[in-house]
Amino acid sequence: MSPRPLESGPAAGLVVYVWGRDEQDRLIRDCLAPELEARRKSGDLTFAWFDRFAARGPHLFFILDMASGFEALCQRLETYLAEHPSEFHFDEKELVRRHAQCRGKILCEVDTRPGLAENNTFVALEHPKDDYPFFLIQGHPRKHEVWGLVDELYAWMLRQIATVGRTERIPHALAWAVEVDRAMGGETHRYWGFHAETLWPALRDQNLLATEDFQDRSRELVGQRNAATFGKLWTSSASGAPEGLARRLVEALDPAPSNDWQFLREINHWTLKNLGLPVRSHLPLALYGWQRGLERSQGTPR
């Protein structure tokens, strides 16, 4: 049975200020991933989600639906941070810059608190189940099923971070994008076009994807090296992504309306980012998916 993380009451939240991407991965690998896996096997944990964010300082934000054991998890986290602190350094100017880049977006109420947080600290909180990210599909008729599938995806992601180096994880992140592409069928170019427009609003505001000139320009934006890398994955029969999971998510969302595409876009953004694909590579990937899908819809597949 799929986990049902939205039944009642708030979820538990952890905002863990750890500076440095590799240090965040180490925290997940050596502390949080094994702790959460043990609690999942014991039945204490039924849902886990996380994201990387920079409000008040670079941090990991975890949402956990736990029957018990949250206080013990916090004690384990406190001990780990004391014994294995991140020694990565940001000066205050850089922290302020990164906070400003969030442009007022918040993931939880802790992000609204004044001042900057210190490295190697954390805040435990209750997170309402109508806040981010839950409100993204609050009224969806199959939301419980969707969140169960998201939990399955995150369990895979945590295992990836715990067992595979970041460079080796990136092909698995891209494999997930390929699985989503295949699951979208005839809608693939429309989905990737939508995804690209969320990353570069001028595409939407100027309706650039509908112009022939931009189709040529988009190849330059993707770049030959990216196109070669993406092309190998798109045509490969092998995949490092969970078998069938992208298809089940797409079917559960039935993403014909754009609001469901928005949630699928969020899922893909979380997956690519958390597995280590630099955000600067997300737009070339989305444009490649759009180009390929458009050519297939016009009968000129690559």
Side-chain angles (χ1 to χ4, degrees), residues 199-237:
L199 298 170
W200 187 11
L203 294 176
R204 178 187 62 246
D205 297 342
Q206 300 175 33
N207 198 27
L208 292 179
L209 297 183
T211 66
E212 291 187 11
D213 289 345
F214 186 79
Q215 293 181 30
D216 293 331
R217 184 185 173 196
S218 69
R219 293 184 178 86
E220 297 178 8
L221 293 170
V222 172
Q224 292 183 351
R225 179 178 294 182
N226 281 332
T229 299
F230 300 155
K232 285 181 181 178
L233 285 162
W234 244 267
T235 56
S236 173
S237 59

Side-chain angles (χ1 to χ4, degrees), residues 15 21 23 39 42 47 55 69 81 87 100 110 126 161 166 172 184-185 222 228 232 263 280 287 292-293 299:
V15 178
R21 176 70 187 230
E23 285 75 6
R39 283 163 171 75
S42 71
F47 176 80
L81 290 174
E87 297 181 357
V110 175
E126 290 187 343
I161 296 171
R166 195 199 319 182
H172 293 185
M184 291 296 296
V222 172
K232 285 181 181 178
F263 188 62
R280 66 178 179 274
L287 287 175
R292 185 180 179 85

Side-chain angles (χ1 to χ4, degrees), residues 127-179:
H127 189 70
K129 289 179 180 171
D130 54 2
D131 279 7
Y132 185 88
F134 299 119
F135 66 67
L136 292 170
I137 54 166
Q138 191 68 23
H140 197 285
R142 298 173 69 178
K143 67 179 181 181
H144 294 302
E145 179 183 355
V146 171
W147 284 118
L149 293 169
V150 170
D151 176 69
E152 189 176 331
L153 174 62
Y154 266 83
W156 172 72
M157 270 198 276
L158 286 169
R159 288 193 297 271
Q160 291 285 303
I161 296 171
T163 60
V164 182
R166 195 199 319 182
T167 301
E168 292 75 22
R169 285 200 307 268
I170 290 178
H172 293 185
L174 294 172
W176 169 259
V178 174
E179 290 297 307

